[in-house]
Amino acid sequence: SGNALAATALLELAAYGDRTAWRDIAEDMLSSLYGAMLRYPTAFSQWLCAADFAVGPTREVAIIGASQHAETKELLKTLWKTFRPRQVTAISNYPPEPDAPALLKDRPLLNSLPTAYVCQGFVCLQPVNLPTDMERQLASSPNP
């Protein structure tokens, strides 16, 4: 439903940082349907996706690098090859715009190359340049 998609979008946008009010709104929406979702789960598939995202854990990925660079394209190719429903991703050229999401703030390039940051709760693993290193981090972090 449209409302379920709105709740999902609010949760995802809140995960980019500094939008706790949006998460609160989505959680209020979810709590109002809790009983119905338990009784008729097949009728509430998108609501259940939103609930799954809300319960977490969620992962944040920031990729910084010029979009035309082959290294950036390889990081993105690796990132998108696996479905990860509780993940938000922010991508930007370097440096990010001043009004960029908090997820992109204070993320310098590593070795002057496109760089990936894999985070959970805005606590990030070591930044990496290689797609294989990013893939290893994505596989090892606790996000089924």
Side-chain angles (χ1 to χ4, degrees), residues 5-15 19 21-23 25-26 29:
L5 288 172
T8 303
L10 285 168
L11 289 165
E12 290 173 351
L13 289 169
R19 302 289 190 199
W22 291 355
R23 182 175 178 84
I25 293 167
M29 294 168 72

Side-chain angles (χ1 to χ4, degrees), residues 16 61-65 89-97 99-108 115 117 122:
Y16 285 99
V61 178
I63 295 182
I64 308 291
T89 302
I91 303 163
S92 176
N93 288 318
Y94 184 79
E97 296 292 326
D99 60 346
L103 181 55
L104 293 169
K105 302 285 185 189
D106 301 318
R107 306 272 186 236
T115 304
Y117 291 83
F122 281 81

Side-chain angles (χ1 to χ4, degrees), residues 36-50:
M37 286 189 286
L38 285 176
R39 282 191 306 270
Y40 311 105
T42 57
F44 291 88
S45 59
Q46 186 59 47
W47 282 107
L48 291 170
C49 290

Side-chain angles (χ1 to χ4, degrees), residues 2-139:
N3 286 336
L5 288 172
T8 303
L10 285 168
L11 289 165
E12 290 173 351
L13 289 169
Y16 285 99
D18 300 333
R19 302 289 190 199
T20 56
W22 291 355
R23 182 175 178 84
D24 293 342
I25 293 167
E27 287 177 349
D28 288 345
M29 294 168 72
L30 284 164
S31 67
S32 71
L33 294 168
Y34 179 75
M37 286 189 286
L38 285 176
R39 282 191 306 270
Y40 311 105
T42 57
F44 291 88
S45 59
Q46 186 59 47
W47 282 107
L48 291 170
C49 290
D52 180 65
F53 192 93
V55 172
T58 58
R59 179 188 303 127
E60 307 94 25
V61 178
I63 295 182
I64 308 291
S67 59
Q68 70 273 17
H69 282 208
E71 293 91 346
T72 304
K73 290 178 183 178
E74 285 301 313
L75 287 169
L76 294 172
K77 180 179 173 185
T78 300
L79 180 70
W80 300 131
K81 75 179 183 180
T82 302
F83 176 63
R84 296 179 181 95
R86 282 188 247 129
Q87 175 180 298
V88 296
T89 302
I91 303 163
S92 176
N93 288 318
Y94 184 79
E97 296 292 326
D99 60 346
L103 181 55
L104 293 169
K105 302 285 185 189
D106 301 318
R107 306 272 186 236
L109 295 176
L110 177 67
N111 303 321
S112 300
L113 294 169
T115 304
Y117 291 83
V118 176
C119 315
Q120 186 171 338
F122 281 81
V123 176
C124 301
L125 300 172
Q126 290 295 318
V128 296
N129 300 120
L130 298 175
T132 54
D133 292 341
M134 181 186 67
E135 191 168 31
R136 193 172 13 265
Q137 289 181 344
L138 290 168

